[in-house]
Amino acid sequence: MDKQYWTEKYESNNTGWDIGYISTPLKEYIDQLENKEIKILIPGVGNGYEIEYLWQLGFKNCYAVDISEAPLQNVKKRCPDFPDEQLICDDFFQLEIDNFDLILEQTFFCALNPSLRKQYVEQMYRLLKKGGKLSGLLFDFELTKNGPPFGGSKEEYLSLFEPKFDIKILERCYNSIPPRSGNELFFSFEK
């Protein structure tokens, strides 16, 4: 699942995870954010409906990273004034910019090979400033070998994140979109 794999997915429009708009749980979470100066990252941004929404609300210190250029170009088409230097085509695990107040998780974790989960936790910890939050959605269904998406459970997530983060929220998502209802956990972890 390298750059070519993901680029082919976007170019062939084989993006079944893409709902075409910001998901309700993340929209409602973003709506309660008051400080528009915070530094925000969305890794594995895909077509970037979340970053577009943040931008439209006046959050100008937000960054998107994706391993494929194709979805970043889609973001740029919808938000032509979004700064190029804040749309980063790179491997998340190689990302050097850091000191984020907030990192939003939306389908990125579940798209990674499960063997990278500990590395994901380490990288998130490194990217956040002290007191920064990693928040968003994680899938709650049996971990499979066939993916993406790869599932997981509350117990697994606790064992991965508790050593590094203060678990503020990790609970069944009450406002998932209908196709994902019962299969998502909303979380907020603090460094």
Side-chain angles (χ1 to χ4, degrees), residues 11 34 41 43-44 55 76 90 95-96 99 110 130 133 141 143-145 167 174 184:
E11 289 177 351
E34 295 178 3
L41 173 67
W55 189 254
K76 190 68 174 177
D90 200 357
L95 191 63
E96 294 190 15
N99 209 33
C110 69
K130 185 175 169 87
K133 291 183 181 174
F141 56 82
L143 179 60
T144 63
K145 292 184 181 179
I167 308 300
Y174 68 88
E184 289 182 314

Side-chain angles (χ1 to χ4, degrees), residues 22-35:
I22 186 172
S23 69
T24 307
L26 284 181
K27 180 185 180 303
E28 291 183 8
Y29 179 77
I30 290 168
D31 286 346
Q32 56 83 37
L33 297 175
E34 295 178 3
N35 181 357

